[in-house]
Amino acid sequence: MYCLKLLSSVDVWLTSEQNNQRGGGEESERDKRQAPIFFWVYGLEVAMSPGEDGLIGIPFPEHSNEVLSHLNDQRRTGLLCDLTLTSRGARYPTHRSVMAAVSLYFRGLFGAEEGGGEGGGGFSVCQLDCVAPDALDALLEFAYTATLTVPSSGMRDVLRGAQLLGIQCVADACRDILGETVEAEGETAEEQRAQHTAPKRMPEGERGVERCSRRKNYKKKVKNVGLHHITSSVLIASPASPISHPSPASDSLRSFPSTQPPSPDQEELCPKLGQNGGDPRLIREPGRGATMNGGPLHWMHERPRTAHPPPVPRSIDKLSENEDMEGDDGVLMGSTSTPTSVAERGAATSAVGAGRKRKSQTPQQCPVCQKIIHGAGKLPRHMRTHTGEKPFQCSACGVRFTRNDKLKIHMRKHTGERPYPCPHCPARFLHSYDLKNHLSLHSGARPFECPLCHKAFAREDHLQRHRKGHSCLELRTRRPRRGPELLEDESDGGRREHSNPLDALSHAHSSAFLPNTALDGGGGSSPGPSLLFPGDVERGRFALQALAQLGPHRGRLVGYPQLFLRGLDLRGAREAEIEDPGGTHSPAAFRDQWADEGEEEIGDEEVEEEDDE
DNA sequence: CTGGGGAGGGGGCCC
DNA sequence: CGGGCCCCCTCCCCA
């Protein structure tokens, strides 16, 4: 009997006779058969370790984002911050654990302290003048949001900082963006200078500033960067980047231009969009190196250098400002503690750069999400989805959009224009797709049918919503069931591999469902290959019943678009239940805990089916 | 729970 | 090649 924690509050109890064998060294045939045990819960791969004898690992993709978000909140408020990074006067409260998790440098730094007096804990300050404040800010934001926001002009700073701190993924991404190639030669002068300004760390209790150039072996050779001019800002994010969790820096990022009130200039530049709507030319000056509507450059200028709350009880600013300033290149270091403006830096880099010719624009891979963007000129549009840049503002209501065509459609609300009239009724629509949906009402066509309950919908997204809900799941669990022989397709005579056991189930209980309405949400993007074994349908069925037995807690699983069950070897559990009907090992014994009276018949049905077998 | 509207995003076509 | 325009899909929100 196992207790599986679901969403921290839902317990799924499974029984297995294998429980008694755990650790006993016995290896039954089932143990051999169950080698790779995976199943899919609505698109999420769930691993059941055979060695763990039925333990199920259910991933919660949002968990990491939530944790990061909370950590970022703590960073913003200075809560639990036990490390302050400084760069030329700017202070960045942070958490040692986070930095150690992100940075090989800090990992080595703090790891070396393990067992030492200061290892776990005292407040400490780490002077990182070798990393430009903007770059350090960006790297911290990356650490806490999985999103790296960096203006293209600051890409090299970030690259250098990432290399110095051993944040390899960021360094790689920056290199990709910069189009660098790994240089097999020795360290460049830049790297050598950087070594002189290696991160320094000042334990809180110490009076002076102890310089501890403790670079580890993670150090990567600095590439000989070929400078080229890039006018766009780039935001690097992990695929699951929680962009919605702003850091102080990201707050400022988000303040441009989407939430930033339009400047009077912008208002003048965007007088009356009207029918001609969001012509971006009214807002920006393309090709001038300027950014849309006060974009990255504007952001960088307004980016608060000391936006972070300063919980640092002691000041090392003067020391940090005066040290190592000569060690970096002029672009980075400048002559004072105040970083050179991005505009100046951009000009500097542009002056140095040789102007690399951009590659073909179709298709292009997004440097942030690695997605391939088809179509010429579509990448900048796509990039705005990462940066949150919304250059196109409605002159009527102030709402901003990332695309002018969206603004144009939006303006129809103000102008009353509804260019898509229904030929059968006076209805008119803003979107062509709305008209398309509307026409299906006239025709009565409901082409989107649920393969399980056969309810038809006029809109595909409504069908998907319906299938994501658990109302249909209940029906699924109560379907009359057949054996796995129904996997045999009568039409082609061969064994059909359904994309998931639920398909098989639905196929079993009904032969009339639309071929395009598979349970994968209509997208046909079932994660992972279809790897059904002869017993999978049974396993999937039992898993559904297990879900059903969640009773009121089952709703917590609602929202998963799919329920894929792969190799879920739960038959043992079922058999155990039969062997011990009503015993303490039976799920039925725990069914009352969930007090879902409507599901009891499922269990009864299950027993009846077992009797039939 | 469902129907409808709006918005975000991607792709195709054209200039 | 970049941008405009359009279509399509999907998601979210509201009644």
Side-chain angles (χ1 to χ4, degrees):
Chain A
M1 180 165 38
Y2 307 104
C3 175
L4 306 178
K5 215 62 177 170
L6 287 181
L7 291 174
S8 304
S9 60
V10 182
D11 295 341
V12 177
W13 294 85
L14 302 176
T15 64
S16 172
E17 74 279 17
Q18 298 170 5
N19 182 35
N20 298 328
Q21 302 174 2
R22 185 176 183 179
E26 293 184 37
E27 186 177 12
S28 64
E29 284 194 357
R30 177 179 296 124
D31 290 334
K32 297 175 183 175
R33 280 188 287 110
Q34 68 182 168
I37 297 178
F38 300 98
F39 65 97
W40 296 87
V41 177
Y42 279 86
L44 302 176
E45 184 177 7
V46 176
M48 173 190 286
S49 170
E52 294 297 326
D53 198 12
L55 288 180
I56 298 176
I58 301 177
F60 296 92
E62 294 303 316
H63 173 72
S64 57
N65 288 349
E66 292 172 358
V67 171
L68 265 185
S69 174
H70 290 307
L71 286 172
N72 198 26
D73 291 340
Q74 293 177 8
R75 175 173 73 111
R76 284 186 292 176
T77 59
L79 181 64
L80 300 177
C81 289
D82 52 2
L83 173 68
T84 294
L85 306 181
T86 69
S87 176
R88 305 164 204 177
R91 293 175 176 176
Y92 301 95
T94 181
H95 302 94
R96 296 157 64 102
S97 57
V98 174
M99 297 313 298
V102 171
S103 161
L104 287 174
Y105 168 76
F106 285 107
R107 194 176 310 165
L109 184 66
F110 299 140
E113 295 175 348
E114 289 298 328
E118 59 186 14
F123 192 95
S124 58
V125 178
C126 187
Q127 183 176 340
L128 295 170
D129 283 348
C130 55
V131 181
D134 286 337
L136 182 58
D137 194 13
L139 291 172
L140 280 173
E141 182 186 346
F142 163 78
Y144 282 86
T145 66
T147 300
L148 178 65
T149 303
V150 48
S152 56
S153 58
M155 189 69 66
R156 291 171 55 78
D157 291 350
V158 175
L159 170 61
R160 179 182 294 112
Q163 288 173 328
L164 289 174
L165 299 180
I167 308 176
Q168 192 57 39
C169 56
V170 173
D172 291 342
C174 292
R175 275 193 296 270
D176 289 342
I177 295 171
L178 291 171
E180 296 182 30
T181 57
V182 177
E183 187 171 323
E185 301 171 2
E187 295 178 343
T188 64
E190 207 171 54
E191 165 74 357
Q192 293 168 0
R193 286 196 301 270
Q195 274 191 284
H196 289 299
T197 60
K200 303 173 293 297
R201 179 179 168 280
M202 283 70 60
E204 167 64 13
E206 297 184 11
R207 193 172 272 277
V209 178
E210 179 184 354
R211 301 194 44 175
C212 45
S213 182
R214 302 168 71 169
R215 300 194 60 186
K216 303 297 180 182
N217 293 331
Y218 65 81
K219 181 179 59 183
K220 294 289 182 180
K221 296 181 185 300
V222 174
K223 314 307 181 293
N224 191 4
V225 180
L227 290 175
H228 61 281
H229 183 72
I230 303 175
T231 58
S232 64
S233 74
V234 179
L235 182 146
I236 302 169
S238 298
S241 123
I243 294 178
S244 59
H245 307 312
S247 67
S250 58
D251 281 338
S252 60
L253 167 64
R254 242 166 298 283
S255 69
F256 95 94
S258 58
T259 59
Q260 173 180 309
S263 66
D265 292 343
Q266 292 164 2
E267 295 289 347
E268 293 176 5
L269 288 172
C270 186
K272 290 182 180 180
L273 299 176
Q275 297 295 329
N276 198 16
D279 188 347
R281 288 168 297 191
L282 297 174
I283 302 177
R284 59 195 171 96
E285 284 285 323
R288 299 290 186 272
T291 55
M292 295 182 190
N293 201 13
L297 295 183
H298 188 189
W299 153 58
M300 287 306 298
H301 281 301
E302 291 193 346
R303 198 170 195 171
R305 302 262 177 250
T306 56
H308 302 265
V312 188
R314 54 173 295 203
S315 172
I316 58 172
D317 289 352
K318 288 184 169 56
L319 287 170
S320 62
E321 287 175 11
N322 295 330
E323 290 184 0
D324 295 334
M325 298 302 290
E326 75 286 358
D328 213 320
D329 60 82
V331 172
L332 264 180
M333 302 303 291
S335 58
T336 67
S337 61
T338 302
T340 310
S341 72
V342 171
E344 292 167 350
R345 276 188 256 165
T349 53
S350 299
V352 176
R356 179 174 301 175
K357 181 67 177 178
R358 294 182 63 174
K359 296 179 180 178
S360 173
Q361 297 294 302
T362 54
Q364 294 173 291
Q365 185 176 25
C366 172
V368 176
C369 64
Q370 315 304 321
K371 183 173 184 176
I372 302 298
I373 303 299
H374 299 275
K378 295 297 191 298
L379 184 58
R381 185 182 74 176
H382 168 79
M383 292 308 297
R384 288 201 288 271
T385 67
H386 295 301
T387 63
E389 193 179 4
K390 296 183 177 180
F392 308 100
Q393 183 184 24
C394 173
S395 59
C397 64
V399 177
R400 291 175 176 273
F401 298 90
T402 60
R403 291 160 49 170
N404 63 338
D405 55 342
K406 301 305 177 185
L407 173 60
K408 185 178 180 179
I409 294 175
H410 165 81
M411 291 307 296
R412 293 171 182 168
K413 289 201 299 182
H414 299 298
T415 63
E417 180 190 8
R418 288 178 175 267
Y420 301 99
C422 174
H424 307 296
C425 72
R428 305 175 70 92
F429 298 92
L430 293 173
H431 305 88
S432 59
Y433 200 69
D434 293 335
L435 174 60
K436 176 187 171 184
N437 291 331
H438 173 78
L439 290 176
S440 63
L441 297 179
H442 286 293
S443 64
R446 290 175 173 266
F448 306 102
E449 179 181 345
C450 175
L452 300 173
C453 68
H454 300 283
K455 182 174 177 58
F457 298 87
R459 281 169 48 171
E460 186 179 9
D461 57 337
H462 285 170
L463 170 61
Q464 294 181 15
R465 182 178 62 184
H466 165 78
R467 278 157 38 177
K468 288 176 183 176
H470 66 283
S471 60
C472 205
L473 175 63
E474 184 171 336
L475 291 176
R476 270 174 270 178
T477 61
R478 299 187 184 189
R479 291 285 178 184
R481 291 177 294 255
R482 298 289 186 84
E485 67 276 6
L486 285 174
L487 280 172
E488 301 296 330
D489 191 333
E490 301 83 1
S491 60
D492 54 21
R495 179 173 179 267
R496 165 174 294 182
E497 287 192 338
H498 297 273
S499 60
N500 62 64
L502 295 183
D503 264 350
L505 288 176
S506 63
H507 193 71
H509 90 262
S510 171
S511 60
F513 66 93
L514 299 178
N516 292 331
T517 53
L519 283 169
D520 58 1
S525 57
S526 59
S530 175
L531 293 172
L532 282 178
F533 294 145
D536 283 347
V537 172
E538 285 295 311
R539 298 165 191 163
R541 183 189 311 160
F542 185 79
L544 287 177
Q545 290 157 2
L547 288 175
Q549 289 172 355
L550 287 175
H553 303 292
R554 189 185 54 198
R556 294 179 179 273
L557 293 178
V558 171
Y560 293 99
Q562 300 164 333
L563 177 57
F564 286 166
L565 304 167
R566 164 65 181 89
L568 179 60
D569 194 354
L570 295 173
R571 286 192 300 175
R574 298 172 60 229
E575 294 163 7
E577 181 178 6
I578 297 305
E579 293 170 4
D580 184 18
T584 56
H585 292 76
S586 168
F590 302 94
R591 196 178 305 144
D592 292 341
Q593 296 182 12
W594 305 311
D596 190 349
E597 64 281 0
E599 308 299 340
E600 289 189 359
E601 63 182 279
I602 297 172
D604 298 336
E605 188 179 349
E606 180 65 24
V607 174
E608 291 173 6
E609 182 185 356
E610 291 294 335
D611 292 339
D612 293 340
E613 291 177 356

